[in-house]
Amino acid sequence: MNTRSAEEISHAVHVAVEAAIWAPSIHNTQPWSFAVSGDEISLRADPDRLLRLGDPEGRQMLISCGAALFNARLALRALGYEPVVRVFPEPERRALVATIRLGASVLVDDDTRLLHAQIERRRTHRAGFADAPVLERLVETLVRKAAAEGARLTPIRSEAAVRVIAALTSAAQDVQSQARAFTLELLRWARPPGSARRDGVPAEGYPRAARHTSPHFAQRDYAHGQPWGNDADQFTSTHAGVVAVLTTPGDSREEWIAAGQGLQSALLHACAEGVSAAVHTQALEMRHLREFLREELCSGEYPQMILRFGVTHDVSRGVRRSVPEVLEGG
C-alpha cells in the first residue's frame, strides 16, 4: 500500500494552494480563502471581497472560485495525485465552495505539465490585440476544454452579433461610470503606481491610452482620470480578436463553479499557444442586459462571461497575495 509522509502531503497541499491563488478574478479581488486539514484543502468564498453592487448574488465570486479550484486540481495532477473533489459538500455552509483531497497516484502526462506551467504566466489583457490570427484549431480546442468542465464556450461568428455584444458592453460601461456607487466600488480595487498591495488591478496592468478596437469593447476605467497605466506601444493593438461567450444551461451556484473551471481550462490552453484573453462582464452585471443576451444571442443559456481571444505583446506582471495570507485555521 502506498503511504505518504507528512512532508509529501504538506508539500502537495502547499503547491495546490499556491496554484489556486493565481486564478483570475473580477478586478483581481481574489475572493477566496483556504483551510487545510491533513491532506484535505477547503476552498472558501470570502464575502468581504464580494462586489456588493456589481455582483450582489456572488455569481462572479463563485466563477472566480471555480477557476481557483481548477488550478488546485491541475497542480495536484502535475504532482502525480488524482484530486478528489466535492463541490458544496455542506449546503448549510454556503461559503464552503469545495474540498479537495489527495487521491490515488497517477502518471503525469505532457499536457498536464504544459498546462501547469501556464498558471503563473497567464494574464488578463485589457486592450486590443495585434493583427495576428487565432487558429481555428485552437478555438475548437478551447470549446472542447470548457465543455469538459460543464460549460459552453461559443465563438461568435456573426459580425452583427459581435457588434451587439460590443455595444452592450460599452452601454453598460457608460452607465456604470456615471454611477458614483459603482465608481467607488471599482476604485477600491484600483491600485495606484507604486502600491505595495497584492490584490486589485495594478496601474501597469492596462495601457495609459488604449486604442479603440473595431468594434470597440469598452474597458473599465481603473485610472479614473489619473495618468496611470503602462506605456506599451498600442499602435497595432486595434483588433478585437475572437469574441466568445461562456454560458451554462442553468444559473445555479454549481453551474457558476463549472463556468469558472471551464473558463480557466480554456484560458490556460490558450496561454500555452501564445494567445491571451480579455474579459468583459459589464453587461452581465446589469440584469436586463444579461437577460437580453441570454434570450437573443445565447439560445436561452445563461451568459457567464464575455471573452476576446487574441495575440498580444503584453508582458505585465501579475500580483497575488501569498499563501499564508489566504490560509485560515481549519
Side-chain angles (χ1 to χ4, degrees):
M1 182 177 179
N2 183 27
T3 59
R4 294 158 182 162
S5 68
E7 290 77 12
E8 289 173 319
I9 293 171
S10 177
H11 173 70
V13 165
H14 180 90
V15 168
V17 173
E18 191 169 43
I21 63 179
W22 282 96
S25 58
I26 180 71
H27 307 331
N28 195 25
T29 50
Q30 304 172 42
W32 46 61
S33 63
F34 302 86
V36 174
S37 178
D39 69 346
E40 181 177 89
I41 304 166
S42 294
L43 166 59
R44 301 169 178 173
D46 185 348
D48 290 338
R49 292 172 173 268
L50 173 71
L51 301 176
R52 302 196 181 280
L53 290 178
D55 188 30
E57 295 180 337
R59 180 181 62 83
Q60 295 185 80
M61 177 176 68
L62 289 183
I63 290 174
S64 302
C65 288
L69 175 59
F70 183 87
N71 275 6
R73 290 170 49 210
L74 177 61
L76 290 180
R77 284 205 179 96
L79 290 174
Y81 303 105
E82 180 64 32
V84 178
V85 176
R86 293 190 301 157
V87 174
F88 298 123
E90 301 177 33
E92 69 280 4
R93 298 176 61 191
R94 292 183 62 81
L96 179 58
V97 172
T99 58
I100 312 108
R101 298 186 71 101
L102 277 62
S105 297
V106 294
L107 293 176
V108 184
D109 57 36
D110 290 340
D111 186 61
T112 297
R113 291 190 184 93
L114 176 63
L115 216 59
H116 182 255
Q118 311 311 312
I119 287 177
E120 293 189 30
R121 291 185 59 239
R122 184 215 60 82
R123 298 286 182 272
T124 298
H125 188 57
R126 297 183 177 89
F129 293 108
D131 184 13
V134 176
L135 299 179
E136 185 60 29
R137 168 188 58 79
L138 174 59
V139 174
E140 292 173 354
T141 296
L142 304 185
V143 170
R144 289 198 307 272
K145 296 303 180 180
E149 302 299 330
R152 184 192 300 273
L153 182 66
T154 303
I156 306 302
R157 307 296 188 186
S158 163
E159 291 184 8
V162 170
R163 289 197 298 270
V164 168
I165 295 172
L168 291 175
T169 298
S170 294
Q173 175 62 31
D174 284 344
V175 169
Q176 290 179 353
S177 66
Q178 296 301 309
R180 176 176 169 80
F182 262 102
T183 299
L184 290 176
E185 184 170 71
L186 179 70
L187 290 180
R188 177 190 173 191
W189 300 104
R191 292 174 46 224
S195 171
R197 280 179 54 185
R198 305 296 296 173
D199 58 7
V201 178
E204 61 271 19
Y206 48 87
R208 191 184 307 275
R211 293 175 62 88
H212 280 205
T213 61
S214 180
H216 180 55
F217 280 80
Q219 299 291 330
R220 306 276 191 179
D221 183 15
Y222 292 104
H224 196 57
Q226 302 294 325
W228 299 350
N230 65 55
D231 292 314
D233 180 13
Q234 293 290 313
F235 185 74
T236 60
S237 300
T238 60
H239 292 262
V242 175
V243 177
V245 179
L246 187 75
T247 64
T248 52
D251 208 28
S252 66
R253 299 173 81 230
E254 289 79 6
E255 283 164 305
W256 297 343
I257 296 298
Q261 296 200 82
L263 170 69
Q264 184 65 347
S265 181
L267 294 179
L268 292 178
H269 278 88
C271 185
E273 296 285 342
V275 170
S276 299
V279 179
H280 300 276
T281 61
Q282 297 99 314
L284 306 184
E285 295 168 1
M286 305 185 74
R287 179 188 55 78
H288 50 297
L289 295 185
R290 185 176 182 234
E291 186 64 14
F292 177 86
L293 278 169
R294 184 178 78 85
E295 293 181 351
E296 302 298 333
L297 294 180
C298 298
S299 302
E301 293 206 344
Y302 289 84
Q304 306 295 353
M305 199 71 60
I306 296 168
L307 302 120
R308 295 184 295 112
F309 292 95
V311 176
T312 176
H313 306 296
D314 182 9
V315 293
S316 62
R317 294 180 299 170
V319 292
R320 292 296 187 276
R321 292 177 292 162
S322 66
V323 171
E325 288 177 287
V326 299
L327 280 179
E328 298 181 354

